[in-house]
Amino acid sequence: MNRRDFCKSLGTGAVALALLKWTRAARGEASGAAPAAAATKPNIIFILFDDLGYGEPPGFRRDSPFKTPNLDRLAQEGVKFSDAHCAAAVCTPTRYGVLTGRYPFRIGQFGVLSFPSKPIIEKDRMTVASMLKARGYHTACFGKWHLGMDWGDVKSEAAARTGTPVADGPTTRGFDVFCGYTEARSIRTVIENDRVLGMYEPVEVQPLMAKKAVEYIDARAKDGKPFFLYQPLSIPHVPHVPAKEFEGKSGQGVYGDWIYEGDWVVGQIVEALQRNGLAAGTLLIVSSDNGAEGREYPPLRGSKRSIYEGGHREPFVARWPGKIRPGSVCEDTVCLNDLLATCAEIVGAKLPDNAGEDSVSILPHLLGTAQGPVREATVHQSSGGDLAIRQGPWKLIFLKNGKRELYNLKEDLSETRDVLAANPDVVERLAKLMQQFIDNGRSTSGAPQKNGIHFELPKPVAAAAGGEGGEGGGRKKRKKAQ
């Protein structure tokens, strides 16, 4: 995708109050429509890459040197979202948003968890898995959890042994079965349900997770019960350990081979669906949890951890044969948080007020029936505590140091020209909306909810004349990544 095509993908996006009415009308039309659930509920699979940047799959950047043939094929057979965002610019908070439909800043989660970290999803909080399980779905997770578990007296990975019990893991948050690991740097310690399965070499783990997913799909095909499969990879996160059969296959070194192996996992799942005759009855979504690690892909500014677009704009594709028009493109803004509300609408469920407070159903976008944006606005966060609110082409950034920046992404996707001083009305409107989202404990319609912590926006301070601010200073020139 060249710069001109990329900029076009942002859409027009009205900036006045008309946009508020338009988005709310579009969202109300979707919620008022008859439930999309058919007599046979669709299987739902969500594959989440780890640190895969927007500019890495060729389907999202035409001159990308990396190979992701399975992901590219899914985009051709389904819909590609050109303006999709994760909830945060790092792993843990994004995963919290994916499963709960709630912005992670509401619980103060900006950074990532470590091996012994306790669970951050409250026991009584609805997740995508628990909601679908309550409606007859079998649920499974294979891969990187990174949302905390209770290891008891075990304080480090070195102290874990085969058979070590683990409490408050995925099987207590809605999943019937789990096999995976706490986080990428603890990939050696593989857990199955509530205890350590064994110690593995890092190179063995992704093929093992793929094998678990294929076996799971084979088993589900036999019982005919609808299923939800959450497959969070740890590719292309470190350690970069492509299996021998992928070495040298990408032509882009170890990193490229690692991405190629991740794409192979996608292909294994697709092939299992085809072999079992389940493809037509399955909604398959693939995305990533944050931007690439240390790799900036122009025209996007920033990478993993950043409040700028390179930190949280993600590749996002969905395929649902017979429902999603092949080769379609959605240019409206969506968020990975939207998985919960989307699944709820698919199965005809109404979310309670204390669930999915920041989740909006994108089913109209999947089906091609949306009359406009379904989101009123979208909140982003960096790992360092910066926040931003996006509405139409406008993005207002609240830096942790009190500085604020405003960008018109339609005209300046690279976020190089801060137009805050020239647009006081836009700044006031977006700041007011952001404060409303904080005060209400939600960004969607429904009864106000309490945030998990007391949260306040930093008091605004004047930016230095001619400066840009932003994560420690002015715009830094960075070497373009391949």
Side-chain angles (χ1 to χ4, degrees), residues 1-10 54 82-83 85 298-301 308-310 313 390 395 407-417 475:
M1 178 178 291
N2 58 33
R3 183 186 175 94
R4 181 179 180 184
D5 291 337
F6 202 150
C7 290
K8 184 179 179 182
S9 75
L10 272 293
Y54 189 102
S82 61
D83 199 0
H85 298 259
L300 299 188
R301 176 180 178 179
Y308 301 108
E309 291 295 288
R313 186 184 288 245
R390 164 79 183 281
K395 179 179 176 181
Y407 297 99
N408 184 325
L409 297 183
K410 180 184 177 184
E411 299 176 356
D412 178 26
L413 184 60
S414 297
E415 297 171 287
T416 60
R417 300 186 300 276
R475 180 73 165 104

Side-chain angles (χ1 to χ4, degrees), residues 1-2 5-6 53-76 79-82 263 315-317 328-329:
M1 178 178 291
N2 58 33
D5 291 337
F6 202 150
Y54 189 102
E56 292 179 329
F60 287 80
R61 183 170 68 101
R62 292 174 184 170
D63 61 349
S64 171
F66 301 113
K67 295 180 179 179
T68 58
N70 292 295
L71 184 59
D72 297 343
R73 187 173 79 246
L74 287 178
Q76 295 168 2
V79 57
K80 177 174 70 174
F81 288 78
S82 61
D263 184 76
F316 188 108
V317 300
S328 53
V329 177

Side-chain angles (χ1 to χ4, degrees), residues 92 107 109 112-122 145-155 167-169 173:
T92 294
I107 62 168
Q109 190 66 50
V112 299
L113 301 184
S114 60
F115 178 84
S117 297
K118 301 297 184 184
I120 62 170
I121 298 179
E122 306 89 329
W145 181 239
H146 216 178
L147 289 166
M149 301 178 181
D150 188 346
W151 284 91
D153 295 332
V154 176
K155 303 302 181 183
D168 277 347
R173 299 303 188 269

Side-chain angles (χ1 to χ4, degrees), residues 13-309:
V15 299
L17 291 177
L19 177 61
L20 297 179
K21 296 179 180 179
W22 185 31
T23 55
R24 285 167 176 162
R27 193 168 61 206
E29 178 180 271
S31 62
T40 301
K41 296 175 182 177
N43 306 308
I44 301 170
I45 298 178
F46 189 86
I47 302 175
L48 188 66
F49 277 79
D50 192 359
D51 293 5
L52 185 70
Y54 189 102
E56 292 179 329
F60 287 80
R61 183 170 68 101
R62 292 174 184 170
D63 61 349
S64 171
F66 301 113
K67 295 180 179 179
T68 58
N70 292 295
L71 184 59
D72 297 343
R73 187 173 79 246
L74 287 178
Q76 295 168 2
E77 296 174 350
V79 57
K80 177 174 70 174
F81 288 78
S82 61
D83 199 0
H85 298 259
C86 48
V90 286
C91 309
T92 294
T94 283
R95 290 156 201 270
Y96 179 86
V98 166
L99 291 180
T100 68
R102 189 186 192 202
Y103 287 133
F105 80 82
R106 298 194 186 282
I107 62 168
Q109 190 66 50
F110 287 88
V112 299
L113 301 184
S114 60
F115 178 84
S117 297
K118 301 297 184 184
I120 62 170
I121 298 179
E122 306 89 329
K123 286 187 177 181
D124 59 350
R125 175 156 289 276
M126 178 184 287
T127 66
V128 178
S130 65
M131 185 276 293
L132 290 174
K133 184 175 180 178
R135 284 152 185 84
Y137 276 68
H138 196 278
T139 58
C141 172
F142 303 120
K144 175 181 169 179
W145 181 239
H146 216 178
L147 289 166
M149 301 178 181
D150 188 346
W151 284 91
D153 295 332
V154 176
K155 303 302 181 183
S156 68
E157 184 184 17
R161 299 289 184 269
T162 299
T164 296
V166 185
D168 277 347
T171 56
T172 66
R173 299 303 188 269
F175 290 98
D176 289 304
V177 294
F178 168 72
C179 186
Y181 39 97
T182 57
E183 44 98 17
R185 289 180 173 82
S186 302
I187 196 172
R188 294 175 180 273
T189 305
V190 175
I191 303 152
E192 190 161 56
N193 296 328
D194 59 358
R195 62 190 58 250
V196 174
L197 176 65
M199 306 300 171
Y200 291 76
E201 289 300 318
V203 70
E204 300 174 314
V205 177
Q206 293 310 305
L208 175 62
M209 296 301 105
K211 181 173 181 287
K212 290 287 185 180
V214 170
E215 291 175 346
Y216 178 78
I217 293 171
D218 290 344
R220 299 278 69 78
K222 294 176 182 177
D223 70 14
K225 186 177 183 179
F227 65 85
F228 169 59
L229 170 59
Y230 172 47
Q231 189 84 13
L233 312 178
S234 55
I235 296 175
H237 196 290
V238 293
H240 301 151
V241 285
K244 189 173 182 59
E245 56 266 37
F246 302 105
E247 292 179 0
K249 293 296 179 64
S250 72
Q252 294 298 315
V254 173
Y255 185 76
D257 294 345
W258 193 218
I259 289 177
Y260 190 61
E261 180 170 342
D263 184 76
W264 169 82
V265 176
V266 175
Q268 290 293 292
I269 290 173
V270 170
E271 195 278 330
L273 292 173
Q274 291 290 136
R275 187 180 67 254
N276 287 288
L278 297 176
T282 300
L283 168 60
L284 174 58
I285 299 173
V286 185
S287 191
S288 178
D289 66 345
N290 48 249
E293 175 69 88
R295 293 168 177 260
E296 187 171 281
Y297 295 100
L300 299 188
R301 176 180 178 179
S303 55
K304 180 179 179 179
R305 301 181 185 85
S306 174
I307 195 62
Y308 301 108
E309 291 295 288

